[in-house]
């Protein structure tokens, strides 16, 4: 009984004192929106297929499971220029302890641009909340070694190392209680890992890769990362609301990420009610600049719809308290609000697929889709800036705030992924799919920021 009372207190505490805001009207897609895109997802068992269609870009993604022996691919074609790119991913490991993913991104000529090695440990169950643990995940350590080719076709070399700790109720319900550390030019810190294909230099490749994770933890204690994103723990995170993050550069505090929840009964596309769905603003402060995303959502709508406005922090309050949402559409479209760059309209969700049996309905998979459209006159640099600012939240922060992939039920609104497709679709033709930063790998580099000195 005591646990129930405490839980109710936490919910009330999280829902009060947050203020209120005018609820967004559940409007249809904007007239004449740019880059209208439909993403369709279907997952049956361990096999997932994602397709994305717009007038400027087509995308197909497929994967088989997530453990050792699984594989995935991603193929993108820019329809107006017929330029394409390919991503291939394979998983391997010792089957019992963990698995390692090797990802390769190729240009239109089939030349390797980027390679990544990702290693993560199984879930742990240690944390005790209120005398009991709800299948808690403590430290789901993840390490990413990123390799970039000096030019397409040449052997990639180690460029950046990323280390992440994911904490939460389960591997899918991450509260981002860990940290996201980035080391640039890490060759001296990770000797033996500087060249792509390093695993071929040992008779025990699995052990060599997993040793890099231990090395990252050791370096974290002695060498300040080039960039680190750390969670400020808050009791409100227990109901799925991220409180804030701090950004450190070479050990010095240089910025923060603040989250505001005003629409308590709001719901972003493919997110849950009350928790992440109630998010109304993200503010990313870095040195002397402040970038914001206002999240405008209807209250208690059965159809999750949101307008995401990318802007300077100084205009966020005015945008969120506008007297007419339809007028706001026109103002953004005609660039009449100084400090507002563009907006993204999104609508949809991923739901369960069930089958009727003699014992009742049985879940056999998930399926659904999300629609996206851009309001305004943004260019490639605007999309890059928006994604870069979201990346300063780190992978854990993006998951916890609801901006992660829209590929499973309430996994996220998919805005981060949509921004990545816009970067590809608007890239200069000489760079599109051929240059790092505009290659197909940008779709998979969630929360992997380019460090700004």
């Amino acid at each position: 009984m005591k646990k129930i009372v405490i839980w109710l207190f936490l919910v009330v505490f999280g829902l009060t004192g947050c203020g209120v805001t005018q609820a967004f009207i559940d409007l249809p897609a904007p007239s004449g929106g740019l880059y209208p895109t439909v993403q369709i997802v279907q997952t049956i068992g361990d096999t997932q297929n994602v397709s994305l269609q717009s007038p400027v870009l087509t995308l197909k993604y497929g994967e088989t499971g997530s453990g050792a022996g699984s594989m995935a691919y991603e193929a993108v074609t820019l329809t107006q220029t017929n330029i394409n790119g390919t991503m291939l991913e394979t998983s391997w490991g010792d089957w019992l302890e963990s698995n390692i993913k090797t990802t390769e991104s190729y240009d239109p000529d089939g030349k390797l641009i980027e390679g990544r090695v990702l290693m993560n440990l199984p879930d742990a169950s240690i944390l005790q909340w209120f005398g009991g643990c709800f299948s808690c995940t403590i430290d789901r350590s993840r390490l990413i070694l990123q390799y970039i080719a000096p030019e397409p076709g040449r052997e990639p070399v180690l460029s950046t190392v990323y280390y992440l700790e994911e904490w939460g109720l389960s591997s899918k319900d991450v509260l981002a209680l860990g940290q996201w550390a980035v080391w640039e030019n890490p060759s001296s810190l990770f000797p033996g890992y500087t060249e792509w294909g390093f695993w071929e230099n040992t008779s025990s490749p699995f052990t060599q890769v997993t040793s890099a994770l231990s090395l990252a933890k050791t370096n974290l204690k002695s060498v300040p990362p080039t960039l680190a994103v750390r969670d400020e723990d808050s009791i409100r995170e227990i109901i799925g609301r991220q409180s804030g993050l701090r950004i450190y550069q070479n050990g010095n505090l240089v910025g923060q990420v603040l989250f505001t929840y005003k629409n308590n009964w709001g719901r972003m596309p493919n997110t849950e009610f009350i928790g992440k769905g109630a998010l109304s603003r993200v503010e990313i402060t870095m040195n002397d600049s402040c970038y914001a995303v206002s999240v405008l959502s209807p209250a208690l709508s059965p159809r999750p719809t949101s307008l995401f406005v990318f802007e300077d922090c100084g205009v966020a309050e005015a945008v969120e308290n506008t007297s007419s949402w339809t007028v706001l559409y026109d103002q953004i479209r005609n660039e009449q609000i100084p400090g507002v760059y563009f907006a993204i309209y999104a609508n949809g969700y991923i739901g369960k697929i069930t089958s009727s049996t003699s014992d009742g309905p049985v879940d056999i998979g998930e399926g659904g889709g999300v629609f996206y459209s851009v309001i305004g006159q943004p260019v490639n640099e605007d999309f890059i800036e928006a994604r870069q600012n979201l990346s300063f939240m780190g992978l854990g922060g993006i998951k916890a705030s609801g901006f992660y992939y829209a590929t499973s039920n309430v996994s996220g609104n998919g805005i981060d992924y949509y921004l990545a497709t816009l970067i590809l679709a608007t890239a200069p033709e000489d760079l599109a799919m051929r240059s790092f930063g505009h290659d197909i790998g940008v779709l998979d580099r969630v929360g992997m920021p380019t460090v700004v000195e």
Side-chain angles (χ1 to χ4, degrees):
M1 182 66 180
K2 182 186 291 186
K3 293 180 184 179
I4 296 176
V5 172
I6 292 174
W7 176 254
L8 290 175
F9 167 78
L10 293 173
V11 173
V12 173
F13 179 79
L15 295 179
T16 57
C18 299
V20 294
T21 188
Q22 180 182 350
F24 183 61
I25 301 172
D26 197 3
L27 293 174
S31 172
L34 300 178
Y35 314 111
T37 300
V38 171
Q39 175 186 297
I40 302 296
V41 177
Q42 186 175 68
T43 303
I44 303 296
D46 291 333
T47 300
Q48 181 178 82
N49 290 289
V50 179
S51 62
L52 188 147
Q53 184 69 54
S54 81
V56 295
L57 177 148
T58 61
L59 180 151
K60 290 185 178 180
Y61 173 86
E63 69 173 33
T64 60
S66 58
S70 64
M71 59 197 70
Y73 80 96
E74 198 163 27
V76 173
T77 299
L78 304 180
T79 55
Q80 296 177 353
T81 57
N82 201 34
I83 297 174
N84 55 69
T86 306
M87 181 279 290
L88 300 177
E89 182 177 87
T90 57
S91 298
W92 50 282
D94 69 350
W95 297 86
L96 298 177
E97 291 184 41
S98 184
N99 71 89
I100 297 165
K101 290 184 178 180
T102 306
T103 305
E104 298 175 322
S105 300
Y106 294 91
D107 74 359
D109 300 320
K111 295 179 179 178
L112 186 62
I113 295 179
E114 179 208 14
R116 290 191 305 277
V117 177
L118 184 150
M119 183 265 174
N120 64 272
L121 290 177
D123 298 345
S125 268
I126 306 172
L127 185 62
Q128 299 291 315
W129 282 344
F130 315 123
C133 179
F134 306 94
S135 300
C136 302
T137 298
I138 292 302
D139 177 0
R140 194 167 182 265
S141 297
R142 179 178 299 190
L143 185 73
I144 301 173
L145 306 176
Q146 181 182 56
Y147 296 78
I148 301 175
E151 60 183 54
R154 290 185 59 185
E155 195 71 14
V157 295
L158 184 62
S159 169
T160 313
V161 172
Y162 302 84
Y163 171 75
L164 168 71
E165 296 167 345
E166 292 183 332
W167 301 59
L169 300 179
S170 70
S171 59
K172 287 189 175 182
D173 188 10
V174 176
L175 300 180
L177 300 178
Q179 62 182 318
W180 179 238
V182 182
W183 289 276
E184 279 208 331
N185 303 315
S187 298
S188 61
L189 296 175
F190 293 84
Y193 299 91
T194 57
E195 296 181 0
W196 182 247
F198 63 85
W199 54 86
E200 294 184 358
N201 299 324
T202 176
S203 58
S204 180
F206 179 81
T207 301
Q208 185 183 17
V209 176
T210 54
S211 295
L213 182 58
S214 299
L215 185 57
K217 291 184 176 182
T218 300
N219 287 332
L220 196 61
K221 297 176 182 178
S222 57
V223 182
T226 311
L227 186 76
V229 179
R230 297 173 187 165
D231 185 11
E232 294 179 336
D233 191 9
S234 166
I235 197 169
R236 293 183 180 179
E237 293 178 8
I238 296 176
I239 62 169
R241 295 187 180 182
Q242 177 57 244
S243 59
L245 306 165
R246 291 196 174 192
I247 305 172
Y248 293 84
Q249 194 165 9
N250 299 315
N252 301 312
L253 180 64
V254 295
Q256 61 181 342
V257 182
L258 298 177
F259 301 89
T260 302
Y261 299 85
K262 290 184 179 179
N263 187 2
N264 288 326
W265 304 106
R267 185 186 182 193
M268 296 183 290
N270 202 46
T271 60
E272 69 274 22
F273 284 109
I274 298 179
K276 299 181 183 69
L279 182 66
S280 60
R281 189 190 305 170
V282 182
E283 294 172 282
I284 304 101
T285 301
M286 188 76 168
N287 295 318
D288 296 326
S289 65
C290 185
Y291 193 93
V293 184
S294 290
V295 184
L296 311 176
S297 303
L300 291 175
S301 171
R303 182 179 62 191
T305 305
S306 293
L307 185 70
F308 301 84
V309 183
F310 296 80
E311 64 213 352
D312 291 331
C313 291
V315 299
E317 197 74 30
V319 166
E320 293 162 14
N321 291 288
T322 185
S323 59
S324 173
W325 302 121
T326 51
V327 170
L328 180 64
Y329 275 23
D330 256 353
Q331 289 174 333
I332 296 174
R333 185 180 292 119
N334 296 316
E335 301 179 314
Q336 294 175 347
I337 309 176
V340 171
Y341 304 110
F342 66 97
I344 294 176
Y345 170 95
N347 179 326
Y349 64 95
I350 312 300
K352 300 288 186 180
I353 299 176
T354 61
S355 177
S356 298
T357 68
S358 57
D359 297 323
V362 176
D363 290 341
I364 60 173
E366 295 180 337
V370 182
F371 173 85
Y372 305 98
S373 185
V374 172
I375 302 174
Q377 306 296 325
V379 295
N380 185 251
E381 290 76 11
D382 294 317
F383 297 134
I384 292 175
E385 180 184 26
R387 183 124 193 276
Q388 172 72 355
N389 279 287
L390 290 185
S391 293
F392 282 126
M393 292 194 284
L395 177 58
I398 288 175
K399 285 185 175 181
S401 60
F403 282 80
Y404 197 54
Y405 293 120
T407 51
S408 62
N409 183 240
V410 301
S411 62
N413 55 47
I415 293 296
D416 180 86
Y417 190 58
Y418 179 57
L419 283 172
T421 67
L422 294 174
I423 291 172
L424 295 179
T426 60
E429 189 170 341
D430 59 329
L431 300 178
M433 301 292 183
R434 299 182 181 277
S435 174
F436 181 82
H438 290 95
D439 63 301
I440 190 174
V442 73
L443 298 170
D444 308 302
R445 294 195 287 267
V446 181
M448 299 171 68
T450 303
V451 179
V452 180
E453 296 293 346

